[in-house]
Amino acid sequence: DAVMTQSPLSLPVTLGQPASISCRSSQSLVYSDGNTYLNWFQQRPGQSPRRLIYEVSNRDSGVPDRFSGSGSGTYFTLKISRVEAEDVGVYYCMQGTHWPWTFGQGTKVEIK
Amino acid sequence: QVQLVESGGGLVKPGGSLRLSCAASRFTFSDHYMSWIRQAPGKGLEWVSYISSSAESMYYRDSVKGRFTISRDNAKNSLYLQMNSLRAEDTAVYYCASSPITEPGTFTYWGQGILVTVSS
């Protein structure tokens, strides 16, 4: 299985400051079609997960542009340029390249 | 806006069975592949099963193989998960998720989730 390892697991952030979450895969996530199926999801308290980013860096419709994804191969990053109160929650990376599809452990973002 | 509504959850004894349903609306169901993802209380997300748009391919995580069966009825815009031989470790909120076939390797839309509790 492709093991997804996120860090940090807890991220206290000051409002208006940037935040960064890393995600490392135990295997390259480049699929045979040349695409990389690495996604980022946000789960606010008490809500269902919501996709933010797909294929490493494509932001979903309605996702603020303060969220950005980058990376390649086995190392990926989600950045929030200026954290807002509504960004509180748990963030998960997830790979859809190898079966079984796997998630990272989650990173809890909270306001200091 | 895509809508996914899960139903069929509840309390079941170890060794028992349950059938989850996911009613899909506001999109062309047959153009989407579907998945079940679960989240144990206070824990992270775990993919459970996948079915392709026309049901020609199904995949399961190892811990549910032989016990869970995913299926879909494109005429009824519905996804199902038959869960047999349930164990305490299957206790979780179960989400159905859909993605258009033009977006491989992802979970584009999510339902609100349904709680399954396996306990005596």
Side-chain angles (χ1 to χ4, degrees), chain A residues 1 33 37-39 41 43 47-51 54-55 60 92 94-97 99-105, chain B residues 33 35 37 39 43-47 50 59-61 95 99 102-108 110-113:
Chain A
D1 297 5
D33 61 7
Y37 297 113
L38 186 284
N39 305 269
F41 296 89
Q43 188 174 31
Q47 294 188 13
S48 299
R50 163 201 183 195
R51 193 180 69 178
Y54 62 99
E55 290 185 39
D60 269 278
Y92 297 91
M94 169 259 162
Q95 66 83 19
T97 296
W99 294 106
W101 292 354
T102 46
F103 289 89
Q105 317 97 300
Chain B
Y33 62 91
S35 300
I37 301 105
Q39 186 169 36
K43 302 297 185 183
L45 299 169
E46 181 177 82
W47 167 80
Y50 159 103
Y59 297 97
Y60 302 89
R61 68 179 303 104
Y95 297 99
S99 295
T102 52
E103 293 182 19
T106 190
F107 308 120
T108 310
W110 296 65
Q112 86 286 353

